[in-house]
């Protein structure tokens, strides 16, 4: 192999980085890579010779790359140049094609192992002759196991930090693939990608701290996340540091995570670092969230393993995500760029405190969210995680929850607070049921459509029980002549102008409920002196919402507010009215008694509400006969 310029001592920099991070340094495996310059110069795609544009890459030209396959230091792989797809990434952005060989890409006999995997994107490759950075492994051409890769040229990545940056780099004339090579590349592509002929080797969409199946269900609920497809679902289970406080180094070929939230629930896109130039970090070689200008955070990460797949999807990386290391500033076609040490300008703190019979002390969970679009989903995921871990089940259950949302409004100074309490009982998934309302309130505030709202904190307090305690009004008693007496099938008799005092006997709502019989407090209903005929008192539970993981979104639209409040309710006309509507949603442990009857002026109706011991389902009708 030809000597490489701009190399630095193999063990010195990796040892310093690990010791500085407080990590033990393991012995370097046989295939550990020599250290390339963290900010190697970009390999020149073209050069001018007598006024002509001449390619610098030739078919068969060899390269060496760095990537992470386990918890050790990045290892090296090799590659040979195949050809270039003009405008293969986008107009003016060509794609280089290489055949790769090395750990987890191929086996010792040259056969395919895991092939290109989700999360390899960003892995740097260097020219063997000069040590220049050719680019990052970022694209594939098939969902089957394959080591053939599309590479984003390094000069495109470095363009992202240039003054006067524009999203499209200046078009460059590059080497053309031969007809035979072009045909082979085209045959290898089983379907076009969103950004050209290549298929993006997506970062691993990873979540820790909550069951990935639950997280994906909840992600589909968020209208905000649907606007950010990279985080709208498809999460795999990954690792976090129980607060993600491990300081994994950011080095070329090492893992990196672009994160929406870090803490108990850590959500991110895990890929590979391409280059580190001072405090500038280049990665992926393709978009992450594709937001253009960005304020997402990025974290160091430690690769755990490369899982072979290639059946329904490419193989993929699983990693432990560590401490926040900086902020992503650009998220573009060519890749992502972040600044080491930069703190995010706006974050939201999600703090949840939970109790359960099996816990000796309350459990507190915390997540810092840097992407507002991911806040409702993160709140839902953390609440769901609390329900699962405190009860050690995801089945029937009961919960009393209170939450406070702190936010600022564009048209009003100062920090505002929104508070609500709700009770839940279910015979299926308590975790998913309790996660909905608080996330919906958060999303409705952020995505309100009237004015910009910035949420700074969400605090949730939950008391979980492992069984449903739902109740129903089974019978009624009337207080008369100094005693509580059972109401029979003929109902009650009341003098006009008098007062009826009733209470309900509550029993288990169904065979799954473990609620014990209880009575509500007595409630007074006044009878008009002009009451006529007969009336009725209907005692109804206020269980108004059922979790539907196929249809309902984390957003209180007009139809939902009408369902929760009143079919005759006017839709909110401004943010203040929306907040009032959200705060007026009835509690599900309320028993509402509606007294209706006729009098001389038409129909009279009055309501009385009493708090029950748990969620109230069903109804009970009491007939009222009037007498003089």
């Amino acid at each position: 192999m030809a000597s490489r310029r701009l190399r630095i001592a193999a063990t010195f920099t990796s040892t310093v980085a690990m010791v500085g991070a407080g990590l033990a340094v393991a012995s370097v495996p046989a295939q550990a890579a020599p250290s390339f310059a963290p900010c190697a110069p970009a390999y020149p795609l073209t050069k001018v010779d007598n006024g002509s544009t001449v390619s610098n890459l030739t078919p068969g030209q060899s390269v060496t790359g760095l990537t992470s396959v386990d918890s050790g230091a990045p290892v090296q792989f090799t590659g040979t140049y195949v050809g270039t797809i003009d405008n293969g990434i986008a107009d003016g952005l060509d794609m280089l094609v290489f055949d790769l060989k090395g750990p987890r890409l191929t086996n010792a006999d040259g056969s395919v192992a895991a092939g290109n995997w989700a999360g390899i994107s960003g892995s740097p490759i260097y020219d063997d002759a000069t040590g220049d950075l050719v680019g990052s492994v970022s694209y594939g051409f098939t969902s089957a196991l394959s080591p053939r890769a599309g590479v984003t040229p390094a000069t495109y990545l470095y363009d992202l930090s240039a003054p006067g940056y524009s999203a499209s780099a200046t078009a460059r004339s590059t080497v053309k693939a031969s007809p035979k090579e072009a045909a082979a590349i085209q045959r290898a592509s089983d379907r076009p990608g969103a950004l050209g002929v290549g298929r993006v080797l997506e970062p691993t969409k990873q979540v820790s701290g909550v069951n990935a199946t639950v997280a994906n269900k909840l992600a589909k609920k968020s209208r905000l996340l649907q606007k950010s497809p990279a985080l709208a679902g498809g999460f795999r289970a990954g690792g976090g540091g129980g607060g993600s406080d491990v300081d994994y180094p950011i080095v070329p070929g090492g893992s990196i995570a672009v994160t929406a939230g870090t803490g108990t629930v850590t959500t991110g896109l895990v890929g590979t670092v391409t280059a580190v130039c001072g405090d500038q970090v280049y990665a992926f070689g393709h978009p992450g969230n594709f937001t253009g200008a960005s304020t997402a955070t990025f974290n160091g990460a430690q690769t755990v393993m490369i899982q072979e797949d290639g059946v329904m999807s490419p193989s993929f990386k699983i990693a432990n995500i560590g401490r926040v290391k900086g902020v992503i500033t650009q998220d573009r076609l060519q890749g992502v760029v972040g600044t080491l040490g930069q703190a995010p300008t706006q974050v939201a703190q999600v703090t949840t405190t939970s109790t359960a019979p099996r816990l000796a002390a309350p459990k507190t969970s915390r997540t810092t969210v840097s992407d507002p679009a991911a806040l409702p989903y993160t709140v839902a995921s953390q609440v769901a995680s609390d329900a699962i871990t405190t009860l050690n089940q995801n089945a029937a259950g009961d919960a009393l929850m209170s939450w406070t949302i702190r936010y600022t409004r564009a048209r009003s100074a100062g920090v505002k607070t929104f508070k609500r309490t709700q009770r839940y009982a279910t015979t299926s998934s308590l975790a998913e049921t309790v996660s909905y309302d608080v996330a919906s309130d958060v999303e409705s505030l952020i995505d309100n459509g009237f004015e910009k709202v910035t949420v700074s904190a969400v605090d949730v307090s939950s008391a979980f029980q492992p069984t449903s305690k739902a109740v129903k009004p089974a019978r009624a008693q009337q207080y008369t002549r100094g005693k509580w007496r059972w109401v029979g099938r003929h109902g009650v008799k009341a003098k006009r102008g008098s007062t009826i005092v009733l209470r309900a006997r509550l029993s288990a709502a169904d065979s799954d409920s473990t609620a014990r019989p209880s009575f509500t407090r007595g409630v007074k209903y006044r009878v008009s002196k002009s009451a006529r005929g007969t009336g009725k008192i209907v005692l109804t539970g206020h269980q108004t919402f059922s979790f539907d993981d196929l249809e309902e979104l984390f957003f209180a639209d007009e139809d939902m507010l009408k369902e929760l409040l009143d079919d005759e309710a006017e839709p909110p006309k401004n943010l203040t009215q929306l907040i009032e509507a959200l705060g007026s949603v009835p509690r599900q442990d309320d028993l509402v008694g509606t007294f209706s009857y006729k009098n001389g002026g038409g129909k009279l109706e009055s309501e009385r509400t009493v708090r029950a011991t748990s969620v109230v389902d069903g109804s009970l009708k009491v007939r009222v006969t009037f007498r003089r």
Side-chain angles (χ1 to χ4, degrees):
M1 183 182 293
S3 63
R4 299 179 174 91
R5 65 181 175 88
L6 296 172
R7 296 279 177 88
I8 48 183
T11 58
F12 177 75
T13 53
S14 58
T15 301
V16 169
M18 291 184 181
V19 172
L23 303 177
V25 181
S27 59
V28 179
Q31 293 205 319
S35 288
F36 293 82
C39 186
Y43 183 86
L45 290 183
T46 61
K47 65 180 180 181
V48 177
D49 183 11
N50 296 325
S52 301
T53 302
V54 181
S55 171
N56 280 326
L57 286 168
T58 58
Q61 188 168 333
S62 63
V63 295
T64 299
L66 291 176
T67 197
S68 178
V69 298
D70 56 29
S71 60
V75 299
Q76 76 177 42
F77 59 90
T78 60
T80 54
Y81 173 66
V82 174
T84 295
I85 303 175
D86 293 339
N87 301 319
I89 297 174
D91 184 30
L93 300 176
D94 299 336
M95 182 188 297
L96 311 178
V97 181
F98 286 80
D99 283 331
L100 308 179
K101 182 189 300 184
R104 302 299 292 127
L105 286 159
T106 56
N107 297 309
D109 61 2
S111 61
V112 180
N116 294 310
W117 55 82
I120 196 175
S121 57
S123 297
I125 59 172
Y126 305 87
D127 176 52
D128 279 345
T130 65
D132 288 351
L133 178 63
V134 175
S136 67
V137 175
S138 303
Y139 294 88
F141 301 98
T142 175
S143 57
L145 302 179
S146 172
R148 173 161 285 181
V151 169
T152 300
T155 185
Y156 296 174
L157 269 166
Y158 286 162
D159 278 349
L160 293 176
S161 292
Y165 165 77
S166 66
S168 296
T170 303
R172 297 170 173 86
S173 176
T174 58
V175 63
K176 308 295 189 294
S178 68
K180 182 177 180 180
E181 291 164 343
I185 293 168
Q186 193 62 36
R187 285 196 301 271
S189 179
D190 68 342
R191 66 178 184 272
L195 303 177
V197 298
R199 183 179 187 277
V200 171
L201 290 171
E202 294 183 341
T204 303
K205 299 178 181 181
Q206 187 171 297
V207 62
S208 66
V210 64
N211 179 278
T213 300
V214 173
N216 283 318
K217 284 186 178 180
L218 297 176
K220 292 178 181 178
K221 296 284 187 188
S222 175
R223 190 169 77 166
L224 284 171
L225 277 193
Q226 306 314 309
K227 301 175 183 178
S228 179
L231 293 173
F235 296 119
R236 300 182 187 275
S244 300
D245 55 357
V246 182
D247 194 7
Y248 298 120
I250 298 291
V251 296
S255 290
I256 185 174
V258 175
T259 50
T262 304
T264 299
V265 176
T266 297
T267 305
L269 308 175
V270 178
T272 306
V273 177
T274 308
V276 181
C277 299
D279 64 355
Q280 295 296 286
V281 177
Y282 302 84
F284 290 7
H286 58 61
N289 291 314
F290 209 5
T291 56
S294 173
T295 58
T297 46
F298 69 89
N299 306 43
Q302 177 196 59
T303 302
V304 175
M305 65 178 185
I306 306 301
Q307 175 61 53
E308 293 180 22
D309 197 338
V311 180
M312 299 301 292
S313 62
S315 303
F316 55 93
K317 176 191 291 187
I318 293 294
N320 291 319
I321 298 176
R323 182 178 298 173
V324 172
K325 303 287 284 187
V327 174
I328 296 295
T329 56
Q330 300 287 342
D331 188 340
R332 307 282 183 175
L333 283 169
Q334 303 99 306
V336 300
V337 179
T339 303
L340 279 167
Q342 181 175 331
T345 56
Q346 177 65 46
V347 296
Q349 300 293 339
V350 180
T351 305
T352 55
T353 304
S354 309
T355 61
R358 62 182 290 271
L359 297 182
K363 174 189 176 184
T364 299
S365 303
R366 293 184 176 89
T367 300
T368 301
V369 181
S370 57
D371 184 350
L375 181 58
Y377 149 81
T378 303
V379 171
S381 294
Q382 188 161 305
V383 169
S385 174
D386 286 347
I388 291 171
T389 55
T390 58
L391 296 176
N392 201 12
Q393 66 182 46
N394 187 14
D398 193 277
L400 178 64
M401 287 177 51
S402 297
W403 55 91
T404 300
I405 303 170
R406 292 180 175 82
Y407 63 97
T408 56
R409 297 176 55 167
R411 302 174 189 171
S412 179
V415 177
K416 315 295 182 183
T417 59
F418 173 86
K419 296 184 178 183
R420 191 148 80 88
T421 298
Q422 190 57 280
R423 190 183 284 272
Y424 304 91
T426 180
T427 57
S428 54
S429 171
L430 180 67
E432 295 174 29
T433 300
V434 297
S435 67
Y436 182 87
D437 282 327
V438 58
S440 179
D441 285 352
V442 172
E443 182 144 314
S444 297
L445 285 173
I446 295 174
D447 198 23
N448 64 81
F450 299 111
E451 64 180 274
K452 182 174 178 57
V453 167
T454 301
V455 174
S456 58
V458 181
D459 299 309
V460 185
S461 175
S462 306
F464 296 118
Q465 296 287 335
T467 57
S468 168
K469 296 183 179 295
V471 295
K472 64 180 179 182
R475 295 187 66 183
Q477 286 187 334
Q478 180 184 13
Y479 191 76
T480 178
R481 299 191 299 277
K483 293 179 62 176
W484 286 105
R485 303 175 188 275
W486 291 107
V487 175
R489 62 187 182 90
H490 296 297
V492 299
K493 294 181 179 180
K495 290 183 178 180
R496 296 179 177 89
S498 67
T499 298
I500 302 171
V501 182
L502 289 183
R503 71 178 183 179
R505 184 180 186 272
L506 305 175
S507 63
D510 49 50
S511 59
D512 293 314
S513 173
T514 60
R516 296 181 177 181
S518 62
F519 285 96
T520 66
R521 63 176 176 81
V523 177
K524 296 179 179 180
Y525 300 90
R526 298 195 178 277
V527 182
S528 169
K529 292 181 179 180
S530 56
R532 295 183 178 180
T534 59
K536 62 181 178 181
I537 298 174
V538 181
L539 305 175
T540 306
H542 234 313
Q543 185 174 13
T544 56
F545 179 77
S546 60
F547 182 89
D548 184 339
D549 64 1
L550 294 178
E551 297 179 0
E552 302 295 351
L553 295 175
F554 291 151
F555 183 73
D557 60 14
E558 180 180 340
D559 291 338
M560 180 180 294
L561 288 174
K562 282 186 175 182
E563 177 185 347
L564 293 175
L565 300 172
D566 184 346
D567 286 340
E568 303 299 323
E570 290 291 326
K573 294 181 174 60
N574 51 53
L575 179 57
T576 298
Q577 290 184 8
L578 173 63
I579 292 171
E580 290 173 352
L582 293 175
S584 300
V585 174
R587 285 180 53 157
Q588 297 189 80
D589 53 0
D590 282 346
L591 179 67
V592 180
T594 304
F595 183 23
S596 58
Y597 57 94
K598 294 180 180 179
N599 72 349
K603 185 177 180 180
L604 291 180
E605 187 172 284
S606 62
E607 281 190 359
R608 299 290 184 271
T609 300
V610 62
R611 187 67 36 80
T613 54
S614 185
V615 169
V616 185
D617 198 5
S619 62
L620 175 68
K621 183 169 69 174
V622 176
R623 183 182 180 185
V624 180
T625 302
F626 302 117
R627 57 186 176 83
R628 293 186 183 278

